[in-house]
Amino acid sequence: MSDQPAPADTARQQLGPDAADGLRAYAARTRESADQLAAVLEDIAANGLPAVEDCTPWEELREAHLARLAAQRPAVA
């Protein structure tokens, strides 16, 4: 991706208002997630890794995430 505009001789397909709003919302959520990750990494760089006792095992995080996904999706009979 580039921050430079497309060349003038290249025709670009315009998005509809709803699609553009959806894309902007996705960009905002992605930016927020990236900011949260950057804050965690900066904290680790400044203070070191947290104690193992203060951490949640990845298996528990995975199971909680899978449970959230399952709750969002209706079961198929």
Side-chain angles (χ1 to χ4, degrees):
M1 300 289 297
S2 173
D3 291 332
Q4 298 176 358
D9 61 346
T10 303
R12 295 183 71 164
Q13 180 180 357
Q14 295 297 312
L15 298 176
D18 290 341
D21 288 344
L23 194 55
R24 285 186 195 97
Y26 176 74
R29 289 190 307 272
T30 302
R31 188 174 293 112
E32 181 180 346
S33 295
D35 288 344
Q36 289 174 354
L37 176 60
V40 168
L41 295 175
E42 289 169 352
D43 179 69
I44 291 171
N47 303 306
L49 292 169
V52 172
E53 299 81 29
D54 296 335
C55 296
T56 304
W58 72 269
E59 295 91 349
E60 289 180 27
L61 296 172
R62 179 194 62 210
E63 293 303 320
H65 183 65
L66 291 174
R68 282 192 304 274
L69 291 175
Q72 292 174 1
R73 183 178 216 161
V76 177

